[in-house]
Amino acid sequence: MALPTSIKLFEMAPRDGLQNEPGTLVPTAIKIELIERLANAGLTHIEAASFVSPKWVPQMGDASEVMHGITRKPGVVYSALTPNLKGLEGALAAGVEEVAVFGAASEAFSQKNINCSIAESLARFEPVLARANDAGIRVRGYVSCVLGCPYEGDISPHKVAEVAKALYEMGCYEISLGDTIGVGTPLAAKRMIEATRQQVPIEHLAAHFHDTYGMALANLYAVMEEGVGVIDAATAGLGGCPYAKGASGNVATEDVLYLLEGLGINTGIDLQAVIDTGIWISQQLGRKPSSKVALAKSTVG
Ligand SMILES: CC(C)(COP(=O)([O-])OP(=O)([O-])OC[C@H]1O[C@@H](n2cnc3c(N)ncnc32)[C@H](O)[C@@H]1OP(=O)([O-])[O-])[C@@H](O)C(=O)NCCC(=O)NCCSC(=O)C[C@@](C)(O)CC(=O)[O-]
């Protein structure tokens, strides 16, 4: 199948990128500056915060302050994770204009991550969708562990399709399919998409691939060939998941942009500005960006 002619990038660094940062809390001002720099670089969808329990994910404990603190750029959607009604109410009070619920295709991961079964999570999301609908905001849905689980191992593509379908039928406008621990390979990624697109139209599917085994770009190319046109990525390749030990961050935004430029797919995003932002945030965190493109195009290496 031909590759999509346009790709929407969903930037994850402020949320998925920072939620698992070890050590001291990243200052709110740094998070705000990161979000503003990303918007200025041309990213139009930025997952900015997470309204989850601060006991579970301390780095996201200042979600409200972050959302209140950012200067919003017209045309940019600043979204946040909301696992339940409490999170949604916090997000609404902070002026969030799009939220996301997050489930899993693995029972064990669901328990570790959000302390309930898959069925309980779906039941918990129903009132979140209803309230968000009343408030006039869109809800994205995530499915974690679509290509493998740290506790259960292999995950059936049919289980992924089943959970994605439930979220879509509940009203999620887009379903982001997470290779949470980055174990996928291209053929497995294709098979997972083939099964899921039977239940959810391909234009409502997004790829959210972590790069633990260095396969994320290859997997993205494979699912783009299946028609996936939305990609989640984190500048500097920041991140990991608190409930998936050893998992590295999302595929780096810089690397995805370089791939897309090479394919002649224009995103309107300024690659150099993203590289600079990745170097800046990595310096704040005391490390180098994990983006190969950033390292190749700069002197930080
Ligand atoms: C879902 C819960 C809250 C259930 O946690 P729980 O303990 O089962 O919830 P509860 O309803 O029994 O409440 C317990 C306490 O948490 C509070 N609470 C309850 N809800 C909230 C809230 N929204 N915001 C703030 N506080 C909250 C609640 O008020 C209470 O406070 P206490 O009375 O003990 O002081 C918990 O398990 C949690 O916060 N988990 C966080 C999971 C998480 O953030 N994981 C990382 C994101 S998912 C991910 O990274 C994957 C993804 C999306 O990127 C895709 C991929 O890569 O695959």
Side-chain angles (χ1 to χ4, degrees):
M1 193 173 159
L3 292 172
T5 50
S6 71
I7 292 284
K8 179 175 107 182
L9 273 195
F10 217 115
E11 173 62 40
M12 293 287 140
R15 195 281 300 171
D16 208 348
L18 295 182
Q19 69 182 9
N20 198 35
E21 192 57 28
T24 51
L25 295 182
V26 178
T28 307
I30 297 290
K31 293 176 181 167
I32 291 170
E33 184 170 345
L34 172 63
I35 295 163
E36 292 178 350
R37 281 180 182 243
L38 292 167
N40 287 335
L43 271 312
T44 54
H45 291 77
I46 303 175
E47 200 161 80
S50 186
F51 289 80
V52 294
S53 163
K55 286 183 194 145
W56 285 64
V57 186
Q59 284 289 6
M60 294 288 108
D62 57 353
S64 194
E65 290 80 356
V66 169
M67 292 310 303
H68 281 297
I70 51 175
T71 301
R72 288 164 199 241
K73 202 173 175 208
V76 178
V77 177
Y78 302 89
S79 63
L81 292 191
T82 57
N84 52 19
L85 270 178
K86 185 178 170 83
L88 178 63
E89 292 304 342
L92 290 175
V96 174
E97 64 239 64
E98 179 176 315
V99 297
V101 293
F102 47 104
S106 148
E107 283 294 350
F109 188 83
S110 181
Q111 290 289 354
K112 297 269 185 198
N113 195 36
I114 50 175
N115 206 21
C116 61
S117 69
I118 296 172
E120 285 164 342
S121 75
L122 295 172
R124 203 182 268 181
F125 298 153
E126 293 268 11
V128 176
L129 268 290
R131 174 76 180 96
N133 195 32
D134 285 347
I137 65 168
R138 299 207 297 176
V139 183
R140 202 176 194 229
Y142 285 96
V143 184
S144 286
C145 298
V146 299
L147 293 171
C149 168
Y151 312 106
E152 291 183 9
D154 289 345
I155 295 291
S156 154
H158 298 289
K159 187 68 194 173
V160 177
E162 184 189 310
V163 179
K165 178 179 185 226
L167 290 171
Y168 184 65
E169 287 184 345
M170 205 183 282
C172 292
Y173 79 93
E174 186 168 278
I175 311 300
S176 177
L177 301 165
D179 181 11
T180 314
I181 53 171
V183 288
T185 50
L187 196 53
K190 264 184 194 285
R191 286 187 179 137
M192 182 274 296
I193 293 294
E194 275 162 16
T196 308
R197 69 184 304 171
Q198 308 296 318
Q199 305 298 338
V200 178
I202 191 82
E203 59 274 20
H204 295 282
L205 294 177
H208 178 107
F209 293 165
H210 288 250
D211 202 25
T212 318
Y213 285 79
M215 291 289 115
L217 280 182
N219 296 342
L220 282 177
Y221 192 84
V223 302
M224 283 166 61
E225 283 189 320
E226 293 296 309
V228 172
V230 185
I231 294 176
D232 297 357
T235 291
L238 288 184
C241 177
Y243 303 103
K245 256 201 169 62
S248 67
N250 280 123
V251 63
T253 307
E254 300 90 316
D255 298 358
V256 175
L257 285 173
Y258 185 81
L259 171 69
L260 296 180
E261 281 187 17
L263 293 170
I265 299 174
N266 181 22
T267 58
I269 299 163
D270 180 344
L271 172 58
Q272 189 57 51
V274 177
I275 290 173
D276 294 343
T277 301
I279 292 169
W280 170 81
I281 186 64
S282 299
Q283 280 166 349
Q284 304 305 315
L285 302 173
R287 67 172 72 114
K288 288 179 188 168
S290 69
S291 157
K292 281 204 161 32
V293 170
L295 293 173
K297 281 189 176 279
S298 69
T299 53
V300 291

